[in-house]
Amino acid sequence: MANFKRVSLVLLTSCAAAALAGCGASDIASPGEGTIVVPGTPTPTPAPTPTPTPGTGLVTPAASCPTIPGPDQLVNAGTISGPTGEYRNCAFPARFTANTQIARTPGVIYSLPGRVDVGTDRGAASTGNNVTLTVDPGVVVFGATGVSFLVVNRGNRIDAVGTPTRPIVFTGRGNVTGTATDDTSQLWGGVVLLGRAPITDCSAPLAAPGTTACERDTEGTSNALYGGATADDNSGRLQYVQIRYSGFILSSNSELQGLTPSGVGSGTTIDHIQVHNSSDDGIEVFGGRPNMKYLVLTGNEDDNLDTDVGYKGFIQFVIAAQRSGVGDAMIEADSDNTLEENTPRQNTRLANFTFIQRSTVGSDLASMLLRGSTDYTMVNGVVVSPNLACLRISRANTIRAADPALDEAGPPVFNSVNMQCAANPFLGNAPVTDAQVRSVFEAGSNNSSTFTPSLINGFINGANETARPAFAAATLGSFFVSPGYVGAVKDANDTWYAGWTCNSATLNFGTTSSACSTLPTN
């Protein structure tokens, strides 16, 4: 949830809330120095302009926008230019009403002119799938305004499946025109998935949580309803996808994240996702049952992984790193302060994670905050947080004993979690004491709050990580595997993150990954 010390973001609220379209963030970049000529030396001969070749040179615009299946056609919005060339800007329609495939077409870039909906809301009690938006590998989609975002409504699907060498990129205008830097954020909204899986904190006061009567509107937008009773609901597939420079505040405590799965069911596939430089959370999960694997969260300005309103799911292999001096917690897990006894109660299982906490300004005061109606299990973790406490637990019901009648799994569980922390690794929040938080952590096996990391390149296991015993994660559920090591990346030969991610000052994933501040041209 938002850290409202980010005053510059709140200043954009008044214009953004008006009709969800009209003003966006802009960035001003200093011009490059070009060729430097030293007085008294011959003027250098300019290098000849290279002849573009497919995959290596500058992009040239297509003559027109492609025709796509169905009645909802693209709009030719002219061309847009940047360091990687000139593109034909083909704007999505405001709503896709029939199955549509967005193909990678040379010289074409796609844009969101504002809010773009996939289908219309089919309701909590609906079944089946109505509209599917398919996005091919290598497609680049940018938000044309700050409040541009993509919404996949209940009863509809997205099928955005990239490849390890040709990811799908969702980004903002400044990334196309060349003004985005390692500190840029808030260029557009983000990607919102809406489903029919159980949630809590219903909008209707008398609605029963976890039923078709329980639904909510999405944080950061309106008329984007989610919730239902279909635990295995399917909102489609997101694989090998980058979401760059997203996050937009519409009003106080109402923001768009990079990726917002809301009431999404376990039938949905979410893996190999990078969220880079969101001005709010990297991923915030509102209830439902989505399971996620291979997540890379870099440079996000609030929490990296935020879970709420009765989410139950499994998450494995997560690299998360903050920009220097920016960000709140790596994990924030909670529910509404007045509805904490709602069921289903949140139960998140997280395995094989590497967290690099660089910020000291977050309101959560710790690398990981668990509070309220949340059950949480963490195994095989590496947490680097030398300037803050590593673990904070707030509210007595977070650590109470298991009680099936309350859907209560008991206190949080930690096994093979290795942390480098500030002088006091553990924080309570009255009535929970620091000593109680320490006791909860130390109740697990092979945990350490005095670990000395030896990470290579900031996120790859070194000798100290390799020496730590691992927990058999697969014993927690069939979604997990037991890789036999702690952390997200075993060693230099383990390259699941390479190629489909982008590099920045926050983390560098190697030569097969390109810079986040530029666009792929292959």
Side-chain angles (χ1 to χ4, degrees), residues 238-259:
L238 285 175
Q239 297 177 281
Y240 296 102
V241 171
Q242 297 176 20
I243 302 174
R244 307 177 181 178
Y245 309 114
S246 58
F248 202 83
I249 292 179
L250 298 179
S251 61
S252 178
N253 204 32
S254 185
E255 318 84 35
L256 290 169
Q257 282 69 229
L259 175 62

Side-chain angles (χ1 to χ4, degrees), residues 4 50 62 74 76 92 119 123 159 182 189 255 286 293-294 331 333 349 355 410 428 432 441 466 478:
F4 292 103
L74 302 167
N76 188 341
F92 283 0
D159 197 37
D182 282 343
E255 318 84 35
F286 289 92
K293 191 172 286 188
Y294 300 115
I331 291 175
R349 277 70 40 108
F355 292 160
V432 179
F441 180 77
T466 300
S478 60

Side-chain angles (χ1 to χ4, degrees), residues 271-273 292-297 314-320 349-355 379-380 473 479-490 494 496 500:
D271 64 65
H272 296 88
I273 307 296
M292 298 180 284
K293 191 172 286 188
Y294 300 115
L295 306 180
V296 175
L297 308 171
F314 299 84
I315 304 169
Q316 189 169 27
F317 301 113
V318 181
I319 301 169
R349 277 70 40 108
L350 173 64
N352 294 94
F353 55 94
T354 300
F355 292 160
V379 302
N380 297 337
F479 183 77
F480 283 163
V481 297
S482 295
Y485 57 87
V486 303
V489 181
K490 180 180 181 180
D494 181 9
W496 64 259
W500 61 272

Side-chain angles (χ1 to χ4, degrees), residues 13 48 67 102 135 141 157 176 204 225-226 260 291 304 357 365 390 403 421-422 442:
T13 296
T67 300
I102 302 299
V135 184
V141 182
R157 295 177 185 171
V176 183
L225 299 175
Y226 65 93
T260 310
N291 302 314
N304 280 275
Q357 174 95 24
L365 305 178
C390 284
D403 185 345
C421 315
E442 293 180 349

Side-chain angles (χ1 to χ4, degrees), residues 181-465:
T181 71
D182 282 343
D183 294 317
T184 297
S185 64
Q186 201 188 10
L187 294 182
W188 65 297
V191 177
V192 180
L193 304 182
L194 306 174
R196 299 169 288 198
I199 63 169
T200 63
D201 299 35
C202 321
S203 296
L206 300 179
T211 70
T212 55
C214 184
E215 60 184 11
R216 288 169 53 90
D217 209 349
T218 298
E219 179 180 287
T221 182
S222 61
N223 297 316
L225 299 175
Y226 65 93
T230 308
D232 62 350
D233 194 32
N234 184 351
S235 294
R237 296 188 295 171
L238 285 175
Q239 297 177 281
Y240 296 102
V241 171
Q242 297 176 20
I243 302 174
R244 307 177 181 178
Y245 309 114
S246 58
F248 202 83
I249 292 179
L250 298 179
S251 61
S252 178
N253 204 32
S254 185
E255 318 84 35
L256 290 169
Q257 282 69 229
L259 175 62
T260 310
S262 302
V264 169
S266 61
T268 306
T269 300
I270 301 175
D271 64 65
H272 296 88
I273 307 296
Q274 180 180 16
V275 180
H276 176 69
N277 280 27
S278 167
S279 67
D280 195 56
D281 299 330
I283 299 176
E284 184 163 12
V285 186
F286 289 92
R289 302 289 188 271
N291 302 314
M292 298 180 284
K293 191 172 286 188
Y294 300 115
L295 306 180
V296 175
L297 308 171
T298 50
N300 300 307
E301 296 177 6
D302 193 12
D303 307 311
N304 280 275
L305 184 60
D306 195 338
T307 49
D308 307 277
V309 298
Y311 167 62
K312 293 181 185 291
F314 299 84
I315 304 169
Q316 189 169 27
F317 301 113
V318 181
I319 301 169
Q322 293 173 327
R323 305 203 315 265
S324 180
V326 175
D328 199 347
M330 310 308 289
I331 291 175
E332 182 177 286
D334 61 1
S335 194
D336 189 286
N337 196 24
T338 62
L339 300 172
E340 290 180 356
E341 299 307 327
N342 274 190
T343 58
R345 182 179 170 91
Q346 179 179 168
N347 192 349
T348 302
R349 277 70 40 108
L350 173 64
N352 294 94
F353 55 94
T354 300
F355 292 160
I356 311 301
Q357 174 95 24
R358 295 181 172 126
S359 174
T360 60
V361 299
S363 61
D364 288 346
L365 305 178
S367 184
M368 301 179 290
L369 172 63
L370 309 180
R371 64 185 176 194
S373 184
T374 181
D375 294 319
Y376 220 107
T377 297
M378 300 183 200
V379 302
N380 297 337
V382 175
V383 179
V384 181
S385 182
N387 300 308
L388 285 178
C390 284
L391 177 63
R392 182 183 177 201
I393 295 178
S394 172
R395 303 173 194 165
N397 62 351
T398 312
I399 60 171
R400 68 187 175 192
D403 185 345
L406 298 175
D407 193 27
E408 166 65 76
V413 175
F414 302 87
N415 289 300
S416 299
V417 176
N418 307 276
M419 309 190 303
Q420 180 192 43
C421 315
N424 182 9
F426 306 104
L427 288 180
N429 192 62
V432 179
T433 67
D434 295 2
Q436 285 177 301
V437 178
R438 177 183 290 274
S439 178
V440 168
F441 180 77
E442 293 180 349
S445 62
N446 298 314
N447 296 320
S448 173
S449 59
T450 59
F451 179 68
T452 300
S454 61
L455 294 168
I456 300 166
N457 204 32
F459 64 96
I460 300 170
N461 284 357
N464 292 354
E465 290 77 23

